[in-house]
Structures are given as C-alpha cells and as structure tokens.
Amino acid sequence: MKILFVCLGNICRSPLAEGIARSLSDEHIFDSAGTGHWHIGEAPCQKSQLIAKRKGIDISNLKARQISKDDIGKWDKVIAMDSKNLADLKAMGFENAKMLLDIDVPDPYFFDGDDGMDEIYEMIKKGVKRVI
C-alpha cells in the first residue's frame, strides 16, 4: 500500500505523519507533500524535528514538496491533516483523499514555541495507526 500524507506547507504535520508511519510499518510506502509551494526543498520545521527526535524518530532528512496532479493515481490513500487541505485535494481531483482524523490537526507552524507539540504528535500518531 502507498500512502501520502498532506498538509499545507509539508514542513510540520505531514512530514511528522510520514516519520511516524515509517516507524510503525515497513510494509507500506509512505511520503508527504504540501498543498502550498512556500517551503519546497526545506527540511521539516524545528518543532516537528524536535518532537520526532524525542520520540526516537529522525525526520531531518525529509524535504518539502508540493503535491501535483502527477500524484493522482499514484497513491492508494491520500491523507489530509485538515479539512481545508482535504477540500484543496478534492478540488485537484484526488477522489481517494480522506482526513487523518475526524477533526482537523492544528497547524503547529502558527504555535508559539513548542507549546502543543506533544498533543499534535499524539493526534497524528493516533490517526496514522488508524490509516495503516
């Protein structure tokens, strides 16, 4: 199974989901992407790297990319971190796009410091376990 995790910039939530998924399963192919273009080529944000590292996961080598129509049909599951990204994916033609959870995973890019990162991590881990 091939699973793609998607958030806005591909530097906070979706690379964290990719790292968590890779730590939980080696039976599937995982990747992540963003609907926006602002951070293409950048490593995950420091907050996401730090929480991942505290949990024994290294995501420092991941690089942000923007999702494109070329991704349609390449992934068995396309998993959005929030309802806005889900709507963007559906508008692009991703019929197999679904939410990670029944609620939006808040975007930690806009958080002050590391506040809330443990909760974000646990939300994403719960959703990733459900997906795989």
Side-chain angles (χ1 to χ4, degrees):
M1 176 145 328
K2 294 171 64 176
I3 303 169
L4 179 66
F5 297 100
V6 181
C7 68
L8 185 60
N10 192 215
I11 60 166
C12 296
R13 298 169 290 173
S14 58
L16 192 53
E18 179 184 351
I20 291 169
R22 287 181 181 196
S23 76
L24 295 173
S25 175
D26 57 3
E27 297 177 20
H28 306 293
I29 295 170
F30 303 104
D31 195 8
S32 60
T35 55
H37 61 83
W38 311 277
H39 300 289
I40 293 172
E42 292 180 22
C45 72
Q46 199 65 21
K47 292 182 249 189
S48 290
Q49 286 191 51
L50 288 174
I51 189 67
K53 188 174 185 177
R54 285 202 323 258
K55 303 294 185 174
I57 301 169
D58 182 9
I59 61 171
S60 63
N61 63 329
L62 300 179
K63 299 293 180 212
R65 74 177 187 91
Q66 185 177 20
I67 196 164
S68 73
K69 290 191 182 261
D70 291 341
D71 286 304
I72 295 173
K74 289 184 179 178
W75 302 97
D76 299 306
K77 295 181 181 182
V78 178
I79 307 299
M81 297 295 122
D82 62 42
S83 53
K84 171 71 171 107
N85 287 299
L86 179 62
D88 290 343
L89 290 166
K90 296 279 188 181
M92 288 179 73
F94 288 90
E95 295 177 7
N96 61 337
K98 301 207 180 325
M99 292 273 287
L100 179 70
L101 297 168
D102 296 331
I103 59 171
D104 290 351
V105 176
D107 190 343
Y109 184 78
F110 302 105
F111 289 9
D112 288 331
D114 292 340
D115 290 345
M117 286 307 295
D118 285 310
E119 291 84 359
I120 296 294
Y121 178 89
E122 292 303 325
M123 287 178 80
I124 292 173
K125 184 175 180 181
K126 177 183 176 182
V128 167
K129 282 182 173 181
R130 190 172 77 175
V131 167
I132 61 174

